[in-house]
Amino acid sequence: MADINTINKDFADLFNQGNELLLEGSSDVMNETRKNAFQDFSKLGVPTRANENYKYTNLIPAFDHPYNVNLKYQNVDVDLNEIFQCDVPELDTNMVLLTNGWYYGNNKELTELPKGVIVCGVQEAAEKYPEIFNAHYGKYAKTDEDGIVALNTSLAKDGFFIYVPKGVVIEKPIQVVNLLRSDRDLMATQRNLIVVEENAQAKIIVCDHTLTHHKYLTNSVTEVNVARNAIFDLYTLQNQHLNSVILNSTYIRQESNSNVLSNTISLYGGTIRNNHHVILDEEHCENNTFGMYLMDRDQHVDNFTSIDHAKPNCLSNEHFKGVMDDQASGAFAGRIFVRRDAQQTQAYQSNNNLLLSNDAVINTKPQLVIDADDVKCSHGATVGQMDEDALFYLRARGIDEKEARQMLMFAFAHEIIEKIRVEPLKERIDELVDKRLRGEISKCNTCAIACNH
Amino acid sequence: MLSIKNLHVSIEGKDILKGINLDVKPGEVHAIMGPNGAGKSTLASVLAGRDLYNVTEGEVIFQGKDLLDMEPEDRAKEGIFLGFQYPIEIPGVSTVNFMKTAVNEHRKYKGLDPLSASDFLKLMREKKSLVEIDSKLTNRSVNEGFSGGEKKKNEIFQMAMLEPKLAVLDETDSGLDIDALRVVANGVNKLKTRDNATIVITHYQRLLDYIVPDVVHVLYNGRIVKTAGKELALELEEKGYDWIKEENGK
């Protein structure tokens, strides 16, 4: 097994030898950001378990593998629009595709978007809309704090860009589907930017799907800025195969009176690490950060979150729930910072876990750092088995044990699903989770939302 | 209908029931009374199939079948209903979904097709009015945030939905104000037929003013020490349990 120094050196070689390809097609701002990020990466490297923030997730086995890396867009030999169709009739979305983290060159034009809304690739955005792009790109993701984020920024070439102008309300959700499709094991770097302007509203659904059985490592970073009075939802659905590694870092900055809801649902994946950072940078923001993970076999999930109350009078609700079976392992870390002047902060956090086997493991760690004195904060974490009294109650009414367990697990998970603010998506996720808990989805090569088997 | 013979039950090595004999016939209402710790709730739980208890001796035959050999869900489908002393709150499971699943499991057991959504809702409405339960309660998660009285009413509502042959009501009166008690008792009385039977387990005589028993048993120290007509309940109310304890050499 390679040690961490070899892994880091391989990335340094990739960066230096591939430098020409990395710079090609990227804007000056991207390349300047890249250069600085690589300096950070050189110091930080891929995080190991010696790093307190990565104590429960060992990334060395994930990185210790000969992946193929694409430093430029690879033409796709088939029409992905044909291969991939989201056929949930009720879920009417504006859908765009990504291929291995790159904005797909043959996306259908989104004809129903309101005027001024931009949905395109990051490379294209950097070139065509520099004023918007340069104001936000690299401004929120902290390359000096996390080696994974520094690595992403060093290698970032493309991803999706979404811009919602001032006052524009997008009724239909925008659905971004990243298709992993390769004939070799692949590491994909994806870099996304979402800018929601003042008083605008948008809902975005992001899904990942593996179309072939190869081993994939996806390292994605999404930066989001939500301006004053804007309302923004981000739903992330993770459904890859057991041989995949998902590293997903999201940085959300909120301005005054904005309202953000994110819901990260991990249904399947070999190793999943979600970094979720929120900064409430102006007053009267509301943030809702939800997540759910359903893990079995040898799957691993780690949700690392931080909610930074930088200004007074903001509200944050954070709730993650997980069901762990077999030898699955997981971690949750929830940091809440309340800065010195952030009076009248309300910050609530909880993490509840259901362990279905003796071998499943969860490490949960709430962490509140409060420097203001007039605040309302709470946190709580639970780890438990199925409630035997509730199980007996259901059985005593004639419901067989398997179904009773199913009902209880589903009820447990539903608390997170019901927070979804897109009705057809909520119903679909309900069905998916029901199937997933029944063991009926083992791996799905089509869109999990659309999958009917 | 129900025949219990020489039933011995222990929990964690401690003997709780020490040779219970009881026969219940269709159409009958039996009351089982007794002081705290006598084993009343254990008897109810064992009949419903709770696996915390060990049956060390004896048999329970229900309609010709060995009840102790069955899973709790099969006992329910055979017609046993336990009204819980402490009904469980189940957040996230709606009462509608719970009852629909249960009713359809019962129907499947009888070889019947599941009820259509509209037939099911019709049945719900009927039974709700029968037991005077508020729609607000059935629209919520099972027992979640219910008051004590609401929980007990919900037990009777479930009983009405499932139409058991033998209902075992474990301290259904505990914690009920007089109005709720009346509602619960009325529900039980309305559901009574010539073919079903009820075992009412209670500490106090009050409930028996409303649900009139054919037979009253006194359970003490794991045994049925006295069996008589309904007048026994009044005697217990008046004299308490001390004379029973003395008679049985405490």
Side-chain angles (χ1 to χ4, degrees), chain A residues 393 397, chain B residues 81-84 87 94-100 102-103 120-143 146 149-164 169 172 183-188 191:
Chain A
Y393 190 73
R397 297 296 177 251
Chain B
F81 179 90
L82 171 64
F84 282 66
S94 73
T95 301
V96 174
N97 190 30
F98 170 44
M99 275 296 104
K100 198 171 172 182
V103 166
F120 176 76
L121 291 175
K122 204 172 136 219
L123 180 70
M124 285 259 297
R125 266 200 305 274
E126 245 170 61
K127 304 295 186 183
K128 274 194 293 203
S129 69
L130 183 76
V131 298
E132 301 170 49
I133 187 171
D134 201 320
S135 276
K136 274 186 297 203
L137 296 181
T138 54
N139 288 339
R140 280 157 53 182
S141 290
V142 178
N143 291 326
F146 285 22
E150 288 168 342
K151 284 179 182 169
K152 296 297 172 73
K153 281 191 210 170
N154 195 19
E155 293 294 287
I156 303 306
F157 164 69
Q158 292 171 35
M159 178 178 155
M161 291 293 289
L162 299 174
E163 297 180 333
L169 305 177
T172 296
V183 169
V184 163
N186 281 344
V188 174
L191 295 168

Side-chain angles (χ1 to χ4, degrees), chain A residues 13-76:
Chain A
D13 291 346
L14 174 69
F15 184 84
N16 292 320
Q17 287 159 19
N19 205 255
E20 207 173 303
L21 279 175
L22 282 169
L23 300 180
E24 187 187 301
S26 299
S27 72
D28 292 347
V29 166
M30 277 186 86
N31 286 334
E32 192 61 29
T33 312
R34 181 189 317 286
K35 200 173 82 191
N36 295 330
F38 183 69
Q39 283 176 5
D40 289 332
F41 179 75
S42 304
K43 281 179 224 148
L44 294 166
V46 168
T48 66
R49 296 180 65 180
N51 180 327
E52 182 66 25
N53 295 351
Y54 281 84
K55 193 173 168 185
Y56 299 110
T57 297
N58 185 0
L59 290 179
I60 294 180
F63 277 98
D64 180 22
H65 186 83
Y67 294 101
N68 210 46
V69 177
N70 296 329
L71 296 182
K72 61 188 276 193
Y73 182 75
Q74 306 289 307
N75 280 316
V76 185

Side-chain angles (χ1 to χ4, degrees), chain A residues 389 393-395 397 401, chain B residues 50 71 73 82 155 158:
Chain A
D389 291 333
Y393 190 73
L394 296 176
R395 293 179 73 191
R397 297 296 177 251
E401 184 177 358
Chain B
R50 188 79 215 245
E71 295 294 331
E73 52 268 34
L82 171 64
E155 293 294 287
Q158 292 171 35

